[in-house]
Amino acid sequence: FIKLVKMVIAPVIFLTIVTGIAGMRDLGTVGRVAAKAFAYFLFFSTLALIVGLIVANLVQPGAGLNIDPATLDASKVSDYAAKAHDTTLTGFLLAIIPDTFLAAVSEGNLLQVLFVSVLFGIALAMIGERGRHVFDLLEDLSIAFFKLVSIVMKAAPIGAFGAMAFTIGKYGVGSLANLAELVATFYLTSLLFVLVVLGSAARLAGFSIFKLIAYLKAELLLVLGTSSSESALPALIEKMERAGCPKTIVGLVVPTGYSFNLDGTTLYLSLASLFVAQIGGVHLTFGQQLVMMLTLMLTSKGVAGVPRAALVVLTATLTQFGLPLEGAAILLGIDQLMDMGRTAVNVMGNCIATVVVARWEGVFDDERMRAFAAGQPPAVGAASTPRA
């Protein structure tokens, strides 16, 4: 099921971003929207790190385990450590640029797709009316691909069931016995972050976080089941348009947020880093913890699109701050279960970011939001997009 979804992810992102940017016409608007989106991403990612830091110090989930890192098998995380070592700023920037224009779409690298989509959308906007035929063609292709998505998504319940059954069958509840406190701490902290922090942002934007969760329940359950935020991306784009966000905003904010607005991942990283320090008996001063959080803020953006990115960032951070790398081996067994929570929080953060940026730009459709708030979101045909 996830392979089926990934098959359509790249063209859906490409078509959504290109038509969104080209539809704005005014490139100054594109830059303004992008700047506001990244300001939002930075602010709330920082809040996620701070919340994780506070909870880890208060609860100290690793303090009572008394595990000797020397008894752990560090080879289990050697692949992630190697990836972390290879992740440099230069390598990250060069990796954004595909070998060919078509390679970005064919290989499905999310950052490369974002890069070529933004460039092509800007180019199409700059040529004005001469690009109208191309724009219309891409709009029509967009309709076809979203219909393809609706066909693929009919398999979502089966895919979610299989992924959940595999996770529980392989790792089981028994394997969580010694790590139950960390798992519980992470999920309770995630719930706190969503309801309080993101909930406050939602309230300021004029809607209830609970109604948004109810509206997106199918996508959130899919993300929880598959541990893949990509599995819900096409449906989220469509649903955010129906909830009152203009296509131009959705096309920029949602796909970009999938790489740069990872609230759940950053929250997990702050908890996991201090958890490893606690089980290894390493005391970190407040200053060291602050530097670690700043490092996590930067490195978590540098591995967007890398499988198991959280483990790659975690091993890089442990190495840099002299913490036992073997501690990551403890987290490896439960990473799949933690990943479900991470991806769900990431998705919620991106949906709220889309509404906030649309409201910030003054282009939010309040009528559709009122219908959404009343529990009666308009049908796709009511949206001001050609995807009816």
Side-chain angles (χ1 to χ4, degrees), residues 47-111:
L47 281 182
L49 284 172
I50 292 172
V51 169
L53 180 68
I54 292 171
V55 172
N57 279 285
L58 290 176
V59 179
Q60 297 197 349
L65 291 181
N66 298 319
I67 297 174
D68 182 3
T71 64
L72 302 172
D73 185 4
S75 66
K76 299 293 184 183
V77 292
S78 58
D79 289 342
Y80 300 106
K83 288 180 182 177
H85 179 73
D86 294 337
T87 303
T88 62
L89 179 60
T90 304
F92 167 65
L93 294 175
L94 289 176
I96 294 176
I97 306 172
D99 292 330
T100 66
F101 187 91
L102 294 178
V105 178
S106 63
E107 294 175 7
N109 184 305
L110 187 58
L111 284 174

Side-chain angles (χ1 to χ4, degrees), residues 186-237:
F186 171 68
Y187 274 93
L188 288 173
T189 306
S190 297
L191 187 63
L192 175 72
F193 181 80
V194 169
L195 297 182
V196 177
V197 179
L198 296 182
S200 299
R203 177 57 59 192
L204 290 174
F207 66 98
S208 166
I209 186 72
F210 297 103
K211 290 186 177 178
L212 182 64
I213 292 172
Y215 179 52
L216 299 173
K217 62 180 180 297
E219 288 70 30
L220 291 173
L221 288 172
L222 179 61
V223 166
L224 283 168
T226 61
S227 297
S228 170
S229 55
E230 290 181 345
S231 63
L233 177 58
L236 284 174
I237 290 174

Side-chain angles (χ1 to χ4, degrees), residues 23 38 48 124-125 142 206 260 268 324 333 339 372 383 388:
F38 275 95
L124 195 57
S142 180
F260 297 100
Y268 166 78
D339 200 29
F372 154 72

Side-chain angles (χ1 to χ4, degrees), residues 272-319:
S273 299
L274 293 183
F275 172 80
V276 172
Q278 289 163 7
I279 65 172
V282 179
H283 175 71
L284 295 174
T285 65
F286 176 75
Q288 289 174 315
Q289 292 183 29
L290 188 60
V291 173
M292 182 185 291
M293 294 305 105
L294 292 173
T295 303
L296 287 171
M297 173 63 69
L298 296 173
T299 53
S300 63
K301 310 301 182 190
V303 292
V306 176
R308 294 276 185 230
L311 279 173
V312 175
V313 175
L314 180 61
T315 53
T317 305
L318 297 179
T319 302

